[in-house]
Each structure stands twice: as C-alpha cells, then as structure tokens.
Amino acid sequence: MDLSGNVPSTATTGLGVDVLVATGIRRAGPGLIADVAGSTALLIALTVSSFGQGASDFTKDIDPLFAGVLAHPGNLGNTIQYAAASANRGDIESAISAYEQLRFYNPKLAATRFQLGLLYYQLGSYDQARGYLQTALQMPDVTPELRQKIEDLLELVDKKLRPDQISGFGQTGLRYQSNASLGAGAQTVLASGATLNSNFLARSDWNWFGTVGVNYVHDFETQTGETFEASVIAYDAQQFTLHQFDIGLLEIRVGPRFAFSPGNINGLTIKPYVVATGALLADAPYMGGIGGGLTLHAMAGNVSLDPYAEIVQQGFRNSALYPLASGLSGTLSTVGLQASGPIAAGLAWQSRLAYARASDHFSFDSYDSYVADVWLPWTFSWAGGRPWTVIPTAGVTTWHYDAADPFVAPFTIAHTTEWRVGAGLEVPLWGKLMLASLLQYRNDTSNVAAFSFRDLSISAGPLVRF
C-alpha cells in the first residue's frame, strides 16, 4: 500500500519523542518521520522431491488430490483441484505438471496457459512464461478480465528479460488527522511544572501529500547471478494550518546482490548496501543520515524471508521551531526480519519484526524500540471487473528510554507503546491508475503524560504503478 506512513519498510527510521517544554518547543515525535521504504510479497517456493520410494509406499503417502489425478487422468475437475492446491502450497513444479495435463486434454483454454505463464514466471523461467502468455491471448475463450491479467503479467515478464529493470509508484492526495501534531491534550500537566506551547498541543488538520518510489535493477547477465540494485523514495506533506509539521523525506539505497546458488530463483541471496537519508521539518533542514546494512533473501517453502541489519549515523540540525534538535544526533542501529507468503487464492500475508537501538547525544533521547507489523492484502474482483485490493493492517511499537527527561518528567524514565490498526483500499480506475485510500487509528500510551496521544487519520488519492 503506497500511502503516507504505511509502507512496509526494510529498515526503520526513529526519532525521539521528547517534548521540550521549558522553552515551549516540541521535538519531532516518532510519527512525524515515518517509515519510508517498500515491501514485495513473492510467491516463489522451493520444491521437494521424493527419492527411493517403492510404488506402494509412494501411492500410500501422496496427496489425495494427486491420487485422484492418477486414478482418473481424464477427469479435468480432479486435475484443476490438484493444480490449484499445489500452487497455493508453493509446489510450483507439481502445479505446472497438472496444468500441462490440462493443456494436453484441452489446448484451447486461455486460463490454463495463463496459469502456466504465471507459474513459470514464479520459477524465473521468463522466456517460457512469455510463450504461454502470448499464446493465451490468442485463445478464443479469453475474457476481457483475463486479457488484462495476461497483459499485466507480460509487461512484468518483459521487464525481467531486460538487463536494466525500472519499477516504482507515485501517489498524491489529501490526508485528514484528528491529531496532526501528535500532541498531548491541553489538560496535560507536566511533572516539571512547565506548560506546553499551544502550537504543539493536539489539533486536527488536513495536509496534501505526495510520494514517489523508484527501484532500479541491473542484471549483469553472468553465470553467477550478480545484480546491482538501487532504490529512491521521497515523501512530502504540506499542512493546511499546522505548518510547523510540514515534512519532506528522502531515502536512497544502493548495493550489489550476490546469489549463493546461481541459476536457482529460490536460492539464498545476499545484498550489502549503502543508505543515505534526509529530512526537512517546517521547511528547514532537520536531519541527515549516512550508513549501511546487509540483507539476505531466502525461501522456506512458500514463505519469503528477508532478515536485515543496518547502522545509520544521524545528524540533526537546530531551527527556529526546533532549537534543541541537535540533541537527537547519534547512531541508529536496526536488526529485523520481513516475511511474507500466500494464505489462499487472492489472500496473502506480510509481516515485519524489528529492534532498533538509538544512541543519541543525550541519554534521555537514547532508546531501545521494538516493532511488529502485519499486513493481509486481499485481491478480489467485482462482477468480472479489474481486481480491487483490501489491506487490513495492525502493528505495535514500544520505546524504552535510557534516562528521565529533565525538561518533561525529571523523575520518570519514559516507556511508550503505540498500537495501530488500519485498512487500505485500492480501486482500479483506468489502466495502471488506481484510487488508494487508508484509514488508520493510532494510540500511544506512556507513563509520561506528555507522550500519550491518539490519532485517527484518513488519506486518499490517485496512485499509479509502473
């Protein structure tokens, strides 16, 4: 889902939640600098072969659906059920065999050729996938909905066959927040005895936002499977009223990827990378960071696993509205795991677990954080039309600070937990253009009253992928 603040991330960007009330100045909370990156659910699986079994042992232990195919090879219903079940559990080669049998008995089924093209695409056999998809378009029973699916997949196949591959998305729209400042209520009493500047109390507002992401992959076309990957993502939000929270973000990641098992699309790969980040807050330079990381990609059955580790040196700049921001400068170290896989036809799951350690200039700005998120993208069609996508999501983040903030609660070390739930919706409009919307609720609860808040937001706007 490509909306402000809800894109699954390969790394986390965390800023402190401290509120400097002695001068009435608020530092950027964790929600102001949102996680910005991309996530892809892959439906590729390892296949498991059986060797050394006798005929009687083999027929005793096989899938009952496959047993039906063996007993009645001409029964297309049995074959269709077995093919679909094999694909859902990640047994791509068995699914291909079943669909090839279907094609043998009825070579003019467009849907069968499309499924074969999809399965070969998942295996990384792009030339074979292209052949099946092109012939599927020529079948007499191809429907407008199926034709669109075939053409969309053909475009992806053609990208994979090129040494230089570019993909991405762009979105713009409007967002409403019941608490755009992510601030505490006016009734909040601070332990230090100071009062909150009214500019940073809880207030609703609208903003315009725009976000663009571009991924580039260069395939060196060697026998050892090396590629070079680069990604850029940018985000900007301009508030209608609360301009002290106007924000701009930029993140760049570049690095090579190496395959441990060249030629095996399901094999383990490793990618070292360099990351650079920057942020504007209230139209003034706020943060810059440089660092690097290492990520792996592996398959466990039909589950995609992407563990990573990253270290970024961050520097914050003071400004008129945020004169003490430089205290947040320091090192952000993150380790995490992204995982994804299919659940059923049209339904998948994606998740993220991460731990981050921020070692900042001041101990009361330093923290340990723990993150868990889950997304459940579900794609379906209305009356044979183009597919819609609904994405329920839920997550939790907890921050544990190293020391009490003398300006806010001098005798209390802050512990803050954020719970969030939401739902995204993508509705096709025309071609690659969609209307994407997100409804999200956040509840931050802390043992320091100034760090507790609630926010209900809704955003919507046109989204295009390329």
Side-chain angles (χ1 to χ4, degrees):
M1 193 72 179
D2 301 308
L3 283 168
S4 56
N6 78 319
V7 184
S9 173
T10 57
T12 57
T13 301
L15 302 183
V17 297
D18 297 315
V19 179
L20 293 189
V21 295
T23 57
I25 302 301
R26 187 184 193 278
R27 295 187 184 176
L32 290 178
I33 307 296
D35 292 346
V36 184
S39 174
T40 306
L42 301 178
L43 299 179
I44 303 171
L46 294 169
T47 56
V48 180
S49 301
S50 298
F51 297 96
Q53 288 182 305
S56 60
D57 292 334
F58 179 74
T59 55
K60 178 180 67 178
D61 296 334
I62 60 175
D63 188 319
L65 290 174
F66 187 41
V69 174
L70 292 177
H72 305 285
N75 188 319
L76 299 187
N78 286 346
T79 306
I80 290 172
Q81 290 183 54
Y82 173 69
S86 297
N88 285 338
R89 67 173 178 260
D91 190 351
I92 305 299
E93 292 182 345
S94 294
I96 286 175
S97 298
Y99 279 114
E100 288 286 11
Q101 182 175 333
L102 284 173
R103 190 175 66 90
F104 173 79
Y105 283 101
N106 193 338
K108 295 184 178 181
L109 290 177
T112 300
R113 292 176 180 269
F114 168 72
Q115 291 295 336
L116 283 166
L118 177 61
L119 292 167
Y120 276 113
Y121 175 84
Q122 293 171 349
L123 280 180
S125 301
Y126 302 120
D127 284 320
Q128 288 177 282
R130 195 174 195 277
Y132 279 113
L133 295 171
Q134 287 179 324
T135 57
L137 289 173
Q138 302 169 8
M139 296 298 103
D141 67 334
V142 62
T143 64
E145 179 189 9
L146 182 56
R147 179 177 295 277
Q148 185 62 57
K149 291 181 179 180
I150 295 171
E151 291 174 349
D152 289 345
L153 187 54
L154 264 174
E155 184 174 345
L156 293 177
V157 169
D158 288 339
K159 284 184 178 180
K160 292 293 186 180
L161 289 172
R162 294 195 293 264
D164 295 291
Q165 305 160 24
I166 297 177
S167 60
F169 70 90
Q171 186 185 14
T172 187
L174 298 175
R175 183 185 190 194
Y176 170 79
Q177 290 179 267
S178 64
N179 185 357
S181 63
L182 305 182
Q187 72 279 9
T188 301
V189 177
L190 300 174
S192 65
T195 58
L196 282 169
N197 186 317
S198 60
N199 288 331
F200 300 98
L201 294 175
R203 295 173 62 187
S204 62
D205 198 11
W206 290 79
N207 71 36
W208 163 88
F209 71 88
T211 181
V212 175
V214 178
N215 295 309
Y216 168 76
V217 177
H218 175 75
D219 189 344
F220 290 102
E221 298 183 311
T222 64
Q223 297 301 311
T224 50
E226 293 95 349
T227 61
F228 174 81
E229 301 177 3
S231 65
V232 178
I233 189 161
Y235 173 79
D236 185 68
Q238 298 294 313
Q239 301 296 136
F240 284 16
T241 303
L242 305 178
H243 295 292
Q244 62 269 38
F245 302 115
D246 292 347
I247 188 170
L249 300 170
L250 179 68
E251 180 179 271
I252 302 172
R253 295 169 182 266
V254 296
R257 185 178 291 275
F258 304 96
F260 284 96
S261 303
N264 180 5
I265 192 67
N266 293 320
L268 179 67
T269 66
I270 184 171
K271 175 186 172 182
Y273 61 89
V274 175
V275 57
T277 63
L280 299 174
L281 188 57
D283 298 322
Y286 184 70
M287 184 272 288
I290 187 72
L294 187 71
T295 183
L296 302 175
H297 175 73
M299 300 297 299
N302 60 358
V303 175
S304 174
L305 300 172
D306 293 89
Y308 62 90
E310 180 177 292
I311 299 178
V312 178
Q313 185 66 37
Q314 298 179 323
F316 291 80
R317 294 184 59 179
N318 298 330
S319 64
L321 281 170
Y322 301 92
L324 299 176
S326 60
L328 294 166
S329 298
T331 302
L332 180 67
S333 305
T334 309
V335 294
L337 172 67
Q338 291 189 154
S340 61
I343 298 175
L347 180 63
W349 62 272
Q350 301 173 17
S351 64
R352 174 185 60 173
L353 296 173
Y355 162 77
R357 170 63 190 171
S359 299
D360 294 341
H361 182 70
F362 295 119
S363 60
F364 55 82
D365 286 326
S366 301
Y367 62 84
D368 296 293
S369 71
Y370 304 85
V371 181
D373 284 293
V374 63
W375 298 265
L376 298 173
W378 175 41
T379 301
F380 60 94
S381 297
W382 288 101
R386 298 200 62 183
W388 293 33
T389 302
V390 174
I391 311 176
T393 179
V396 60
T397 302
T398 180
W399 293 267
H400 300 274
Y401 283 80
D402 290 2
D405 190 328
F407 301 104
V408 180
F411 305 109
T412 304
I413 299 176
H415 301 280
T416 303
T417 299
E418 175 181 284
W419 295 93
R420 51 191 173 271
V421 293
L425 174 65
E426 293 184 4
V427 179
L429 297 177
W430 177 77
K432 297 182 180 300
L433 183 64
M434 291 171 280
L435 176 64
S437 59
L438 170 68
L439 177 68
Q440 187 177 58
Y441 174 74
R442 300 169 60 184
N443 186 342
D444 281 45
T445 303
S446 178
N447 60 340
V448 175
F451 302 154
S452 297
F453 68 86
R454 296 178 182 179
D455 177 50
L456 178 66
S457 68
I458 183 168
S459 54
L463 166 69
V464 62
R465 291 197 178 93
F466 55 89

